[in-house]
Amino acid sequence: TQLLEQSPQFLSIQEGENLTVYCNSSSVFSSLQWYRQEPGEGPVLLVTVVTGGEVKKLKRLTFQFGDARKDSSLHITAAQPGDTGLYLCARGSSASKIIFGSGTRLSIRP
Amino acid sequence: EPEVTQTPSHQVTQMGQEVILRCVPISNHLYFYWYRQILGQKVEFLVSFYNNEISEKSEIFDDQFSVERPDGSNFTLKIRSTKLEDSAMYFCASSYFIDSNQPQHFGDGTRLSIL
């Protein structure tokens, strides 16, 4: 089974701090997606990374796909309370199925 | 922006009863999916559907589950005889293409509580 391991599971930091969360696997992926899920809502796609070493920025969020395409990281600069949520990495397992990681639950304290 | 809508937002059902969860995918999307998320656990794939047929299903999607697109807009998930362990959030998703790199758009889910 090609699992996606996310770390840390939980992270609580002060507003204004920086943070990095990780998504790792022993398998090579053709692409990897990051989603954010807020309480009572479905996952919302943030970004898809496709090329090894690729870096994508979404305002204060920076996503990186590892050179070997086995891992990815999400870095948030100057975290804000609005960044609070469950961050999920995910990959396509087949043409139709997405496999999700277990998620990092992020809490930003004002 | 078009969105996937799900009803009801919360469904409470007695064990052994049938339940139907409803979804209206984004109107020009061709591929439809159901996922579930048991409290505190991962989002898990259940089934994908295209051209009025199941494309792929997981081992969770046993004979108690069925999906249907009864008209041009709705996509439903039926659980025939619910069990306590069916309690979960159920998410519908849709996409225009079927490709592991293409985004699937998720609804806000139906919380199913089996008593």
Side-chain angles (χ1 to χ4, degrees):
Chain A
T1 309
Q2 298 172 338
L3 294 175
L4 286 170
E5 300 289 339
Q6 290 190 245
S7 60
Q9 278 190 294
F10 302 95
L11 184 59
S12 178
I13 63 169
Q14 205 70 36
E15 180 177 1
E17 293 183 353
N18 302 332
L19 67 108
T20 304
V21 299
Y22 301 93
C23 176
N24 294 288
S25 175
S26 56
S27 305
V28 175
F29 304 132
S30 60
S31 67
L32 193 134
Q33 299 172 340
W34 283 94
Y35 290 79
R36 182 167 70 206
Q37 184 181 17
E38 300 191 35
E41 298 183 11
V44 175
L45 180 69
L46 297 174
V47 76
T48 300
V49 285
V50 178
T51 307
E54 182 177 4
V55 176
K56 282 191 174 178
K57 288 184 184 289
L58 191 67
K59 297 183 182 177
R60 293 176 294 99
L61 278 59
T62 302
F63 304 85
Q64 184 158 8
F65 201 15
D67 291 340
R69 306 207 316 275
K70 291 184 179 182
D71 55 86
S72 181
S73 63
L74 158 59
H75 182 80
I76 302 179
T77 304
Q80 298 177 2
D83 296 328
T84 292
L86 178 66
Y87 288 82
L88 301 163
C89 65
R91 61 170 183 87
S93 170
S94 65
S96 62
K97 181 167 69 176
I98 292 177
I99 301 291
F100 285 89
S102 51
T104 292
R105 191 165 297 281
L106 177 63
S107 173
I108 311 299
R109 303 187 301 273
Chain B
E1 185 174 320
E3 56 182 28
V4 175
T5 56
Q6 291 186 242
T7 55
S9 57
H10 192 187
Q11 173 80 44
V12 182
T13 300
Q14 290 287 334
M15 186 172 61
Q17 295 296 305
E18 175 183 286
V19 67
I20 297 176
L21 309 182
R22 301 181 193 280
C23 170
V24 178
I26 294 173
S27 62
N28 66 339
H29 284 186
L30 303 175
Y31 301 89
F32 315 112
Y33 315 85
W34 284 100
Y35 292 79
R36 81 171 184 192
Q37 186 177 30
I38 294 171
L39 186 63
Q41 297 186 23
K42 293 182 187 184
V43 177
E44 301 173 288
F45 170 80
L46 292 179
V47 67
S48 58
F49 190 86
Y50 168 69
N51 200 26
N52 283 319
E53 288 185 345
I54 290 175
S55 304
E56 187 172 359
K57 59 182 181 179
S58 71
E59 60 274 12
I60 302 168
F61 195 88
D62 62 22
D63 291 344
Q64 293 300 308
F65 291 86
S66 61
V67 288
E68 194 178 31
R69 189 154 162 81
D71 53 44
S73 60
N74 289 285
F75 178 51
T76 62
L77 173 69
K78 182 194 289 187
I79 309 175
R80 251 179 285 281
S81 178
T82 50
K83 303 187 284 286
L84 292 175
E85 53 265 36
D86 293 327
S87 294
M89 284 290 291
Y90 287 80
F91 293 105
C92 173
S94 69
S95 65
Y96 186 71
F97 295 105
I98 192 163
D99 182 307
S100 60
N101 293 342
Q102 292 298 317
Q104 295 180 13
H105 298 261
F106 286 78
D108 285 340
T110 293
R111 181 174 298 283
L112 179 62
S113 300
I114 307 301
L115 305 179

